[in-house]
Amino acid sequence: MLPYSRGMPAVVDLRSDTVTKPTAAMRLAMSAAEVGDDVYDEDPTVNALQARVAALLGKEAALFMPSGTMANQVALRSLTVPGDEVMIGQNAHVWLYESGALAALAGVQTCPLPGGGLFGASEVRAAHKPDTFYLSPTTVLAVENTHNAAGGAAWSLAALREVTATARTLGMRTHLDGARLWNAAVATGHSEAELCEGFDTVTVALSKGLGAPIGSVLASTRERITRCRRLRKMYGGGMRQVGILAAAGLYALEHHRARLADDHRRASAIASALAEAAVGKQIRVSTPQTNIVLIRGALDIVGVVAAARAQGVLIGAPTADALRLITHLDVDDAGLAHAIAVLKPLLHAS
């Protein structure tokens, strides 16, 4: 990375944790990967990745997917029939950022719950619709952990157990969008398997936080994964000698999970610094649990994004009234210091 103190500042990209580049060691692992045809279930590196993820999540089997969107959509398609309703948290990724796929591909509708993404058993019970001929029955509860739009909020283990148990008593199946489950495990101190208890299907991302260039994994029972393999092919996700990519995921699992604590520390540091700059302003800076910081209030969103970009700092604006900063593998302490130096005066001047 270029020095921050002379010439044009190097780009510090805080738009997402999906912007990371493979490390040199990860590239070596990819180049050395043993491969086969994964459509025939003959890629040994893919099979190793799937077995490793299934073990980490406490599930029987897993399936490598090209994207988190496909992983979520295949999982939910396997749990529903057209006309069903899927209960979700407010602004869930499966509703907000997946191009209407639940409606277009699965033929189901969604029931968003209030609460900013996290909710309780009482909300689940109140929103549930029974299987009556004139209603769309609520057949699936989908939870997102951590919740992107809620600023990387992590569910407590007790809350997860409460809502999944409630869903069971109502006859619902359960899905966990765990794209950033690795962050949730680090933040809560609970294992990924503990956080996955009570869920029929779980998806996890390898390219968010962990630094792999592509890929997500769907985990469930062996029987359901067999069904999902067919759905993956139907959705255009059959891949061939993809062990080259699976090797990146395996490397990331073994070397990049524990370091997520560094991303959380840096998110907390930049949030604290920017909150100081916002004192006396009508600006709210979130207190991050994990690696996502949200900034809302009396801000010229477009102007701040442009001014930061001109000084080598890229930030996101997921909505018209919010800025989002996400720390990740490619943001070190020097990059963080540069971002703070750029963003503090921009917020103070707002």
Side-chain angles (χ1 to χ4, degrees):
M1 188 173 287
L2 295 173
Y4 295 95
S5 57
R6 64 175 186 270
M8 285 295 292
V11 170
V12 182
D13 196 339
L14 296 168
R15 293 172 299 172
S16 177
D17 46 7
T18 61
V19 300
T20 57
K21 306 296 194 299
T23 64
M26 182 181 286
R27 286 178 181 271
L28 283 175
M30 294 169 71
S31 67
E34 185 181 359
V35 300
D37 193 317
D38 184 50
V39 170
Y40 292 137
D41 198 19
E42 294 177 353
D43 190 302
T45 308
V46 170
N47 292 339
L49 171 65
Q50 291 170 166
R52 178 66 173 133
V53 172
L56 283 171
L57 304 187
K59 302 301 179 186
E60 290 180 354
L63 187 64
F64 187 41
M65 310 287 283
S67 73
T69 292
M70 185 180 288
N72 280 331
Q73 295 303 321
V74 165
L76 290 166
R77 174 74 179 272
S78 80
L79 297 171
T80 59
V81 297
D84 282 357
E85 179 176 83
V86 177
M87 190 181 294
I88 59 174
Q90 186 177 17
N91 292 325
H93 194 282
V94 297
W95 173 81
L96 185 61
Y97 291 126
E98 298 188 8
S99 301
L102 278 175
L105 304 180
V108 301
Q109 67 182 33
T110 54
C111 175
L113 300 179
L118 278 60
F119 47 85
S122 60
E123 288 81 12
V124 174
R125 284 191 292 267
H128 176 260
K129 299 179 183 66
D131 189 0
T132 304
F133 74 92
Y134 54 85
L135 295 175
S136 172
T138 315
T139 59
V140 175
L141 173 70
V143 171
E144 186 178 333
N145 191 23
T146 66
H147 197 284
N148 181 354
W155 284 72
S156 71
L157 184 59
L160 286 174
R161 288 176 172 170
E162 180 184 46
V163 296
T164 54
T166 300
R168 294 284 182 216
T169 64
L170 294 169
M172 301 166 67
R173 293 174 288 279
T174 53
H175 171 65
L176 175 61
D177 175 0
R180 294 184 176 90
L181 184 68
W182 320 112
N183 295 88
V186 169
T188 63
H190 294 292
S191 71
E192 291 86 357
E194 288 178 298
L195 297 174
C196 293
E197 290 174 4
F199 289 97
D200 293 297
T201 55
V202 179
T203 57
V204 289
L206 304 170
S207 59
K208 290 177 179 175
L210 294 189
I214 192 172
S216 288
V217 181
L218 163 60
S220 187
T221 62
R222 288 188 180 87
E223 181 180 6
R224 188 169 299 281
I225 289 299
T226 298
R227 161 75 171 147
C228 289
R229 178 176 288 275
R230 181 172 185 270
L231 288 169
R232 183 185 70 173
K233 182 69 171 176
M234 186 186 300
Y235 280 38
M239 300 176 286
R240 299 297 179 175
Q241 291 73 26
V242 76
I244 293 170
L245 298 176
L250 276 170
Y251 182 90
L253 286 173
E254 302 310 318
H255 296 90
H256 293 169
R257 284 163 58 218
R259 64 148 307 280
L260 290 171
D262 293 334
D263 297 340
H264 299 179
R265 172 181 59 80
R266 290 181 178 120
S268 180
I270 195 168
S272 296
L274 298 184
E276 289 179 6
V279 170
K281 306 286 184 179
Q282 293 182 325
I283 298 172
R284 304 181 307 279
V285 180
S286 69
T287 301
Q289 281 183 276
T290 54
N291 66 325
I292 301 177
V293 180
L294 296 178
I295 305 171
R296 292 189 172 96
L299 284 163
D300 174 9
I301 298 293
V302 173
V304 171
V305 170
R309 177 183 286 271
Q311 299 177 71
V313 177
L314 305 183
I315 55 178
T319 63
D321 65 346
L323 297 171
R324 186 182 69 176
L325 319 177
I326 303 185
T327 52
H328 51 76
L329 177 68
D330 287 355
V331 177
D332 57 15
D333 287 335
L336 190 76
H338 178 69
I340 290 171
V342 168
L343 294 173
K344 282 185 73 171
L346 293 178
L347 292 193
H348 188 70
S350 295

